Structures are given as structure tokens and as C-alpha cells.
Amino acid sequence: MYVSYDFYKQTFGGQLSEDDFKRAEAKAEAVISYLTYLNGDIFAKEDNRVKLAVCAAAEVVHYHNNQASANGNQAAGVKSETNDGYSVTYITEGQDGQTAEELLRKKIYEAVRVYLLPTGWLSRVLKGGCGRVCSDSDHSL
């Protein structure tokens, strides 16, 4: 774990229980690594901005998991349903065709952007002099 529960509670001001935070932190770190892999290992050295980003992402993961559980592991839910004149339409967070994993990644990006954008970790420009993003690489969110 990159972030201690004490840091999460005292510095970030989080409200999750220690068990909930530990469960969510692993997924949060994995997605942050995915978003920043072009620039190296974001967790190689200690940085409070990175720790704050992990805390914010962990809360997003926790909320997302709770919503998915409430919807029967279908984060997007049912778009519409009609049965003998009875119609129900559910409001969804995701766009049509968007997977739950893509939605979670987008939400985490929005949560960590405020902490990581000024650091350069979210840059899509390859380090080492390449001034452009290679077209054959997967740099999508």
C-alpha cells in the first residue's frame, strides 16, 4: 500500500473505514498506474500529491463498487423497459456502449486530475524527446 490509513484519515480527511479503504486502494493504485505508465513508476518515490490522488481515487472506487452492488453488479443499469404498457427508464451515469470498467477509469481520472495534472504524471507525451504520441499505442482513458 502506498498510502497509510492515517494519511487518508488525517491529511485527506476521508470517511471510509480502514477495511473499505484498503480494499479500494488496491484498485485505485492500479488505475493510477494505468493512467501514468508512460511517464514511469508513479509510486517509486513518496509524494503527497500522489498520495492525495490515491485517496481520491479510492473513494471513487468505493462509491462505484457500492453503486454496482446496489444495481446487481450492473453499474449502468437498465436503459428502459416496457411491459404491457408499464414503462421504466433508469438514469445512468455511463454512455451507451461504455463498460463499467471504462466508466470507473473515467471517474478516477476526473478525481485524480486536480492532484496529478500539475505534476506532469498525466501527460500523454512520451518522455525522452518524442514530441508526439505514437499512433499505434493505446493511450486512451
Side-chain angles (χ1 to χ4, degrees):
M1 286 186 15
Y2 185 75
V3 179
S4 71
Y5 185 69
D6 288 337
F7 181 91
Y8 169 73
K9 287 293 278 187
Q10 295 171 6
T11 305
F12 185 75
Q15 300 299 314
L16 298 178
S17 71
E18 188 169 3
D19 288 340
D20 287 343
F21 176 72
K22 286 179 181 179
R23 278 191 293 274
E25 184 192 8
K27 179 69 173 185
E29 287 182 15
V31 174
I32 289 172
S33 289
Y34 171 82
L35 293 173
T36 62
Y37 76 95
L38 286 177
N39 297 308
D41 182 6
I42 191 169
F43 302 116
K45 63 179 183 174
E46 198 167 315
D47 183 335
N48 278 348
R49 290 172 294 192
V50 175
K51 286 182 177 184
L52 291 168
V54 170
C55 293
E59 288 196 342
V60 169
V61 169
H62 177 75
Y63 174 77
H64 179 82
N65 289 344
N66 283 349
Q67 289 297 105
S69 293
N71 292 334
N73 286 328
Q74 297 176 9
V78 176
K79 179 88 174 170
S80 67
E81 181 179 310
T82 303
N83 186 5
D84 291 332
Y86 178 74
S87 178
V88 176
T89 302
Y90 297 97
I91 299 173
T92 63
E93 294 179 306
Q95 299 172 354
D96 288 344
Q98 187 177 39
T99 67
E101 187 66 25
E102 290 169 335
L103 177 61
L104 177 60
R105 216 172 28 235
K106 181 180 178 184
K107 289 171 137 185
I108 289 174
Y109 177 82
E110 292 300 320
V112 303
R113 183 173 62 172
V114 69
Y115 301 107
L116 299 182
L117 196 59
T119 67
W121 278 111
L122 294 176
S123 174
R124 290 312 203 197
V125 176
L126 296 173
K127 288 187 176 181
C130 181
R132 61 181 175 73
V133 176
C134 300
S135 62
D136 62 341
S137 298
D138 178 18
H139 305 290
S140 64
L141 295 177

